């Protein structure tokens, strides 16, 4: 049996499998119901081995892509591969198994040949509501996971090809936007089935053994390349502490400390000195932290490294269970990936900066800056949920300015077009523009943030704005200026009021909310 593949064969296998993952993701996007997936593309897709080992991913959202291998491996272990049958489809959103937050539902389809699982295809998508104390299921002030929505253990949505209607009815009974959620779940199932067909077509061509050898060759190749890329980095150790400014309930300086050690072709990233888990919804799962580590290493060592299980082989991630970066039950986690993941990235980058030169960029806006607006539209009598993350300023590089009004680091979604917002929701977009001058000055200038202002046109709504860097600054490097902080305001008839970075407000028709995201830090002294 051949175990070696030449460079041409590896490249063919890599592209064949990547194209399947991309096709699965595009099918999900094109057939979804909610603007959050259809327009914003808040979803990801990948192909995995029978035990959950990552084989290939689409180029979607770094956070989803980085945590899905941990989640899927844990799901298969907990549910038991021996309990799966052809036609089964699993779903879960449990953050303590490796998920991110409850709106991110993962749907997993095992692929069988002659009664044996040869691979898994999985999609993750952010659903616009999964219950909880606020529309959109993104309450910042939740103090336990039960307030955030319906937590789904690994269960069969389909059993032997049959939809489990009672299970789905129970789930949808607890969700405000049941029609959108049902449609998006079925879209995930259909996209996975497309991936299953494509993989079986590949198996017809390569054979089961050939498919398995190709997957193993790709993982081995990725590990070899990753070790080689890491060995080009300077050996050394660095530590850095950055802070979140709000725990979701109260303003509080919450430390996230990263210590990075590079030795030869291996890296250890230790976040065990970070804060314990906090009262509000900014805690995150270990899988989120692991995703951040993988992202930073790929970003700094070689952005062209293949994204499969081989990438993580030389990377050790150390955390402390029960901490902000390794939350345990019943800690709330809704904004852990929205806020904390971005700060974990900043802390790891700061640690690398301590023993490298000209490698690390200045800090970016530091948040995915999510705004949710939800309630009952009096024109239809039905619940709606507007969910969107906003771009900000990218940190400058030694030789390049940062981009303006873009998603950075762990997020990679598009925006919701203004026309779609006004068609789908009782909202008017009164302003949507680049926040000029918010990027930090320097030899290379930080990118500017963005400004969006929404006004409620009908009824009443609950708004949950969540950003960061309102009371802190995206840091500059090598003499570059810090970026301008973010600003959140509620606009009422009597005037405007500034809000903290994480909050919840009630709006009546005619009132509005605005957010200006932070600018990126500058690099080097301005000449």
């Amino acid at each position: 049996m051949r175990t070696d593949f030449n460079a041409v064969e590896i490249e063919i296998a890599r592209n064949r499998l990547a194209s399947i993952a991309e096709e699965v993701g595009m099918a999900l996007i094109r057939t979804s119901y909610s603007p959050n997936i259809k327009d914003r593309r808040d979803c990801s897709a990948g192909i995995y081995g029978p035990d959950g080992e990552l084989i290939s991913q689409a180029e979607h959202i770094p956070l989803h892509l980085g945590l899905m291998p941990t989640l899927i491996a844990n799901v298969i272990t907990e549910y038991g591969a021996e309990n799966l049958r052809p036609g089964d489809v699993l779903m879960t959103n449990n953050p303590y198994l490796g998920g991110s937050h409850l709106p991110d539902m993962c749907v997993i389809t095992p692929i069988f040949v002659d009664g044996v699982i040869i691979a898994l295809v999985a999609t993750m998508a952010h659903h616009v509501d999964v219950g909880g104390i606020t529309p959109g299921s993104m309450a910042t002030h939740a103090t336990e996971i039960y307030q955030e929505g319906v937590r789904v253990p690994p269960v069969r949505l389909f059993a032997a090809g049959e939809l489990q209607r009672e299970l789905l009815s129970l789930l949808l009974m607890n969700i405000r936007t049941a029609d959108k959620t049902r449609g998006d779940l079925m879209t995930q199932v259909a996209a996975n089935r497309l991936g299953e067909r494509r993989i079986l077509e590949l198996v017809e061509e390569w054979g089961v053994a050939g498919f398995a050898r190709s997957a193993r060759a790709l993982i081995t190749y990725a590990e070899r390349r990753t070790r080689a890329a890491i060995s080009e980095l300077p050996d050394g150790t660095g530590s850095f502490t950055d802070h979140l400014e709000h725990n979701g309930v109260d303003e509080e300086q919450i430390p996230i400390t990263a210590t990075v050690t590079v030795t030869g072709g291996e890296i250890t990233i230790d976040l065990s000195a970070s804060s314990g888990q906090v009262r509000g919804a900014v805690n995150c799962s270990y899988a989120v932290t692991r995703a951040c580590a993988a992202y930073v290493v790929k970003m700094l060592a070689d952005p062209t490294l293949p994204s499969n299980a081989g990438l993580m082989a030389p990377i050790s991630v150390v955390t402390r269970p029960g901490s902000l970066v390794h939350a345990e039950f019943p800690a709330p986690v809704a904004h852990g990936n929205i806020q904390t993941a971005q700060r974990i990235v900043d802390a790891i980058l700061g640690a690398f900066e301590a023993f490298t030169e000209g490698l690390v960029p200045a800090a970016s806006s530091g948040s995915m800056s999510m705004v949710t607006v939800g309630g009952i539209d009096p024109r239809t009598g039905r619940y709606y949920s507007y969910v969107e993350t906003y771009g900000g300023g990218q940190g400058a590089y030694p030789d390049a300015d940062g981009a303006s009004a873009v998603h950075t680091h762990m997020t990679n979604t598009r925006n919701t077009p203004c026309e779609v917002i006004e068609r789908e929701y009782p909202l008017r977009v009164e302003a949507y523009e680049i926040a000029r001058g918010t990027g930090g000055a320097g030899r290379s200038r930080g990118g500017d943030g963005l400004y969006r202002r929404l006004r409620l046109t009908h009824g009443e709504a609950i708004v949950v704005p969540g950003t960061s860097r309102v009371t802190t600054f995206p840091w500059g490097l090598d003499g570059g200026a810090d970026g301008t902080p973010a600003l959140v305001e509620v606009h009422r008839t009597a005037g405007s009021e500034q809000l903290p970075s994480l909050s919840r407000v009630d709006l009546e028709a005619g009132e509005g909310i605005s957010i200006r995201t932070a600018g990126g830090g500058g690099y080097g002294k301005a000449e």
Side-chain angles (χ1 to χ4, degrees):
M1 179 185 294
R2 284 189 57 198
T3 58
D4 61 316
F5 277 67
N6 63 41
V8 173
E9 291 171 318
I10 287 175
E11 192 66 7
I12 290 171
R14 185 181 70 82
N15 280 279
R16 290 288 295 273
L17 287 163
S19 70
I20 294 174
E22 292 286 354
E23 187 178 6
V24 169
M26 186 53 62
L28 172 57
I29 290 164
R30 295 183 66 182
T31 58
S32 59
Y33 280 54
S34 67
N36 194 54
I37 301 172
K38 182 180 295 293
D39 295 288
R40 292 192 58 247
R41 304 192 173 193
D42 196 347
C43 58
S44 298
I47 301 167
Y48 302 80
D51 59 355
E53 188 175 45
L54 175 62
I55 299 172
S56 184
Q57 293 176 326
E59 291 291 337
H60 289 152
I61 300 174
L63 184 95
H64 287 175
L65 299 174
L67 65 83
M68 285 172 71
T70 302
L71 175 62
I72 291 167
N74 287 340
V75 165
I76 297 303
T77 298
E78 179 168 302
Y79 196 87
E82 70 278 5
N83 297 318
L84 293 170
R85 300 290 181 268
D88 288 353
V89 178
L90 295 174
M91 69 174 178
T92 186
N93 64 350
N94 189 354
Y96 310 120
L97 275 181
S100 55
H101 54 191
L102 300 187
D104 281 343
M105 193 70 72
C106 188
V107 174
I108 306 164
T109 301
I111 302 171
F112 287 81
V113 173
D114 296 329
V116 177
I117 299 175
I118 64 161
L120 309 165
V121 60
T123 52
M124 178 172 278
H126 184 114
H127 292 259
V128 293
D129 191 89
V130 289
I133 58 177
T134 61
S137 312
M138 290 296 299
T140 65
H141 62 293
T143 56
E144 59 178 0
I145 193 70
Y146 296 107
Q147 298 168 342
E148 296 189 322
V150 179
R151 183 161 51 107
V152 181
V155 292
R156 288 188 295 180
L157 179 59
F158 281 76
E162 292 294 324
L163 175 64
Q164 302 302 284
R165 298 183 184 278
E166 291 181 350
L167 170 65
L168 183 60
S169 295
L170 176 64
L171 177 65
L172 297 180
M173 181 67 73
N174 292 281
I175 291 174
R176 297 174 181 86
T177 55
D179 55 338
K180 290 286 195 294
T181 299
R182 189 188 194 285
D184 286 343
L185 272 176
M186 294 303 104
T187 293
Q188 287 184 259
V189 173
N192 283 9
R193 284 177 175 164
L194 173 61
E196 179 182 17
R197 292 200 302 273
R198 294 291 184 259
I199 290 173
L200 290 176
E201 290 168 1
L202 206 58
V203 169
E204 285 184 9
E205 183 179 338
W206 292 353
V208 172
F211 177 83
R213 287 197 305 271
S214 298
R216 178 50 48 194
L218 287 173
I219 292 169
T220 301
Y221 169 67
E223 179 179 352
R224 186 168 66 248
R225 278 194 57 189
T226 302
R227 291 187 183 278
I230 292 172
S231 68
E232 295 296 316
L233 298 174
D235 283 356
T237 297
S239 295
F240 187 83
T241 298
D242 211 329
H243 295 82
L244 284 178
E245 65 203 52
H246 205 291
N247 66 23
V249 179
D250 303 297
E251 289 191 353
E252 174 189 5
Q253 290 293 303
I254 309 168
I256 298 176
T257 300
T259 298
V260 172
T261 301
V262 178
T263 305
E266 296 187 346
I267 290 178
T268 299
I269 298 175
D270 189 338
L271 289 129
S272 59
S274 301
S275 167
Q277 61 191 45
V278 297
R279 185 182 178 200
V282 296
N283 304 287
C284 68
S285 71
Y286 168 72
V288 169
T289 300
R290 198 167 184 266
C292 296
Y295 164 80
V296 173
V297 172
K298 182 172 178 176
M299 168 190 175
L300 297 181
D302 181 358
T304 69
L305 291 173
S307 291
N308 62 41
L311 176 68
M312 285 301 297
I315 305 169
S316 297
V317 181
V318 181
T319 59
R320 187 179 82 258
S323 66
L324 180 76
V325 300
H326 189 153
E328 293 186 313
F329 175 85
V333 298
H335 284 258
N337 55 332
I338 304 299
Q339 315 301 338
T340 309
Q342 301 290 66
R343 195 65 74 257
I344 292 170
V345 169
D346 287 345
I348 297 173
L349 288 174
F352 269 104
E353 171 66 14
F355 64 97
T356 62
E357 184 176 351
L359 180 67
V360 172
S364 295
S365 58
S367 173
M368 298 184 193
S369 296
M370 175 170 276
V371 175
T372 62
V373 184
I376 297 176
D377 189 337
R379 298 171 299 178
T380 64
R382 305 180 73 177
Y383 269 104
Y384 67 92
S385 180
Y386 162 74
V387 177
E388 184 162 11
T389 53
Y390 295 167
Q394 182 185 44
Y397 282 81
D399 57 351
D401 294 341
S404 296
V406 294
H407 289 283
T408 56
H409 297 324
M410 301 308 294
T411 179
N412 186 33
T413 58
R414 295 186 176 187
N415 67 353
T416 306
C418 299
E419 296 84 353
V420 173
I421 293 173
E422 295 182 348
R423 182 192 70 206
E424 294 282 335
Y425 314 108
L427 296 170
R428 179 181 300 119
V429 181
E430 295 192 326
Y432 187 40
E433 60 196 31
I434 294 175
R436 303 291 181 185
T438 53
R443 183 177 67 250
S444 298
R445 186 175 182 86
D448 293 329
L450 66 74
Y451 178 78
R452 176 173 263 174
R453 179 166 169 164
L454 301 169
R455 187 169 298 278
L456 184 68
T457 58
H458 297 84
E460 300 175 345
I462 295 173
V463 181
V464 179
T467 188
S468 192
R469 298 297 195 191
V470 169
T471 61
T472 62
F473 301 82
W475 34 265
L477 284 178
D478 196 30
D482 294 339
T484 300
L487 176 66
V488 184
E489 292 183 300
V490 59
H491 305 285
R492 304 197 187 278
T493 307
S496 298
E497 175 189 352
Q498 187 172 340
L499 298 175
S501 55
L502 301 174
S503 61
R504 173 200 184 280
V505 294
D506 296 330
L507 293 184
E508 296 181 354
E511 297 178 333
I513 191 84
S514 67
I515 181 170
R516 186 193 71 204
T517 60
Y523 200 109
K525 293 182 180 179
E527 298 178 355

